[in-house]
Amino acid sequence: DAKTTQPTSMDCAEGRAANLPCNHSTISGNEYVYWYRQIHSQGPQYIIHGLKNNETNEMASLIITEDRKSSTLILPHATLRDTAVYYCIVAQRTSGTYKYIFGTGTRLKVLA
Amino acid sequence: DGGITQSPKYLFRKEGQNVTLSCEQNLNHDAMYWYRQDPGQGLRLIYYSQIVNDFQKGDIAEGYSVSREKKESFPLTVTSAQKNPTAFYLCASTSGRSSYEQYFGPGTRLTVT
């Protein structure tokens, strides 16, 4: 199973960009990278996903390296409400559906 | 509003009792999933179901059972065989067609004493 490695925790000043790295060196060619975040005791919330190309939506940008072995989630202007645990997930296709393989995530703290 | 509901939010049981956690979705999604989360850890897959009347074991299925009699419902039973049942349980679903984004419910925190 492709696994992900993320820093345990990070701090970011409010209003600045938060850059969250993720290593997924064993990712296969047809496996997607997904990012979710989880605020304490709630269900995870989808942020963004990608396969090869960089992606951007209203919440964040996802930069995937050319060899696909790592990626970076960018929150362009972090706010206090962005404080959460961020999970980088490799979505593994199996038996007609995708299984998510969760790591322990990065605990992002946005500081006022 | 479309979404996933899990009830109750908090559940307490005595050791040795089976307990069933509810998960309902009105998103018309085909696939549904159950995860377990322990403090400070990521989510681990218990069971998943791609269609009605079919389900597969995830990574930690021992001590759990599921059923999928209706598309919108995927209840999880935590049996007395589960050695460490106290955890946060999350249900998710995905349409599985054009997107594999999983939508998560609010979770049920189960405490067994």
Side-chain angles (χ1 to χ4, degrees), chain A residues 35-102:
Chain A
W35 282 83
Y36 279 72
R37 71 181 182 186
Q38 186 178 28
I39 296 170
H40 183 62
S41 294
Q42 296 182 22
Q45 176 193 20
Y46 167 82
I47 301 173
I48 198 167
H49 74 280
L51 183 62
K52 295 181 187 177
N53 300 321
N54 298 338
E55 302 288 344
T56 295
N57 63 20
E58 64 278 3
M59 288 183 70
S61 295
L62 174 60
I63 309 297
I64 302 174
T65 58
E66 194 167 338
D67 63 8
R68 303 214 320 127
K69 292 186 176 181
S70 66
S71 60
T72 301
L73 178 75
I74 301 172
L75 307 178
H77 306 287
T79 71
L80 298 178
R81 286 182 295 180
D82 292 323
T83 293
V85 177
Y86 287 76
Y87 292 102
C88 170
I89 298 159
V90 170
Q92 180 185 65
R93 185 162 181 86
T94 179
S95 303
T97 188
Y98 275 88
K99 283 176 59 178
Y100 283 5
I101 303 168
F102 281 82

Side-chain angles (χ1 to χ4, degrees), chain B residues 11-109:
Chain B
L11 193 53
F12 298 88
R13 281 293 183 271
K14 295 289 187 186
E15 193 174 330
Q17 293 179 336
N18 291 354
V19 58
T20 297
L21 281 59
S22 162
C23 177
E24 304 278 330
Q25 54 100 358
N26 60 5
L27 300 166
N28 199 33
H29 283 174
D30 292 315
M32 298 185 73
Y33 307 78
W34 273 105
Y35 293 91
R36 169 188 173 129
Q37 187 174 33
D38 293 289
Q41 302 297 312
L43 282 64
R44 291 184 290 167
L45 183 64
I46 305 172
Y47 268 98
Y48 63 102
S49 166
Q50 297 180 70
I51 56 172
V52 173
N53 293 323
D54 185 55
F55 46 83
Q56 287 81 40
K57 293 182 179 180
D59 301 318
I60 55 165
E62 186 175 348
Y64 299 97
S65 66
V66 293
S67 63
R68 187 88 186 276
E69 297 176 3
K70 298 186 295 183
K71 187 175 185 177
E72 57 270 22
S73 178
F74 190 39
L76 172 76
T77 297
V78 184
T79 75
S80 56
Q82 168 51 234
K83 291 183 171 38
N84 297 298
T86 295
F88 188 46
Y89 290 89
L90 286 154
C91 179
S93 71
T94 179
S95 66
R97 295 194 192 96
S98 61
S99 169
Y100 295 98
E101 172 191 339
Q102 289 190 11
Y103 293 78
F104 284 85
T108 292
R109 189 167 298 280

